[in-house]
Amino acid sequence: DAGITQSPRYKITETGRQVTLMCHQTWSHSYMFWYRQDLGHGLRLIYYSAAADITDKGEVPDGYVVSRSKTENFPLTLESATRSQTSVYFCAPRSEQVPSYEQYFGPGTRLTVT
Amino acid sequence: QKEVEQNSGPLSVPEGAIASLNCTYSDRGSQSFFWYRQYSGKSPELIMFIYSNGDKEDGRFTAQLNKASQYVSLLIRDSQPSDSATYLCAVRQSSGYSTLTFGKGTMLLVSP
């Protein structure tokens, strides 16, 4: 969906390196979410944001940092990548349309940490 | 920890049959329930949401909700091989910023 873009789509990095995953929405949804998806664990929430400059931790925030200076962008940074952070990462803006509050997923970034 | 449980499957059905996917949740205050479909290597795609007890139909899909039993299901009628995917149940939490909690998904295989 052109409304959500994630970059890069694929990334290989080495243990200890910093890497930033980008997420951009063409809408103006206030809420945005970062998930990781791993076999056996399903989708797990890393961080989310209710608006520009408002962020909060999800279920698995350790080792990650987020920022949100503009409504449309929500980058996720791995400060010092570890092999356990090898995963597929999805960004998901959420509509505030009642009652559905539909949440849409970007195409994902497949990250491999060697 | 608020939980959403799904059978991992795979659930195998022949083409044309009804596929029934089930989900239970622990947060009794949850208000909205979602079904996502995820093809292998792709991102989850929202196919249904439901927030009132009973049935909600959309084409070949029917979502069913029973809040008293904390149970939500998805029926797919006239299953097609193209329905083969993993189906994720998600529950919107009643507290905080109303984040979604996902089940681990049920893999559906529809054989021709």
Side-chain angles (χ1 to χ4, degrees), chain A residues 72-92:
Chain A
E72 61 267 29
N73 297 323
F74 189 36
L76 176 73
T77 298
L78 287 67
E79 295 183 294
S80 178
T82 65
R83 289 193 181 88
S84 65
Q85 293 177 310
T86 292
S87 187
V88 180
Y89 291 85
F90 291 105
C91 174

Side-chain angles (χ1 to χ4, degrees), chain B residues 6-84:
Chain B
Q6 295 181 256
N7 289 326
S8 61
L11 173 66
S12 296
V13 300
E15 184 175 358
I18 295 175
S20 177
L21 304 162
N22 304 315
C23 173
T24 59
Y25 59 94
S26 63
D27 181 8
R28 186 170 288 278
S30 298
Q31 296 296 315
S32 303
F33 308 85
F34 304 82
W35 284 100
Y36 285 82
R37 177 176 62 198
Q38 187 174 25
Y39 292 113
S40 180
K42 301 296 186 181
S43 58
E45 171 193 12
L46 181 65
I47 55 173
M48 291 283 289
F49 75 92
I50 187 168
Y51 57 93
S52 297
N53 274 328
D55 295 358
K56 179 182 179 182
E57 186 174 318
D58 184 0
R60 295 187 297 111
F61 298 97
T62 298
Q64 300 176 316
L65 175 61
N66 184 326
K67 289 186 179 179
S69 299
Q70 296 175 242
Y71 177 94
V72 58
S73 64
L74 179 70
L75 301 179
I76 306 175
R77 290 182 300 280
D78 188 23
S79 295
Q80 301 297 309
S82 58
D83 294 326
S84 297

